[in-house]
Amino acid sequence: MMSPKLTPFRVHFDAVAGIVPEPVSFTAATPKAAETEALRRHPGRCVRKVKVEKSGGQP
């Protein structure tokens, strides 16, 4: 069984009280998996968008 290819994603959040939080990077198989992990680690925030990390992400 092959494991899925992991891709670095950058997750952007909606502004909270007029302040936009810094985007966070996650390595995941799909954008939805990156969004799920971001919400798990940052409860109470709303994801605005998920983009592929162009710089390759962090190891």
Side-chain angles (χ1 to χ4, degrees), residues 16-58:
V16 177
I19 300 170
V20 179
E22 288 290 318
V24 292
S25 296
F26 294 102
T27 303
T30 65
K32 185 64 176 173
E35 179 179 345
T36 301
E37 183 64 17
L39 292 174
R40 187 182 72 77
R41 292 190 188 185
H42 300 279
R45 292 190 181 173
C46 294
V47 171
R48 184 170 45 112
K49 64 183 170 183
V50 178
K51 297 175 67 175
V52 173
E53 180 79 52
K54 299 291 186 205
S55 66
Q58 299 183 2

Side-chain angles (χ1 to χ4, degrees), residues 6-24:
L6 296 177
T7 305
F9 291 99
R10 180 168 288 214
V11 180
H12 298 260
F13 297 104
D14 282 337
V16 177
I19 300 170
V20 179
E22 288 290 318
V24 292

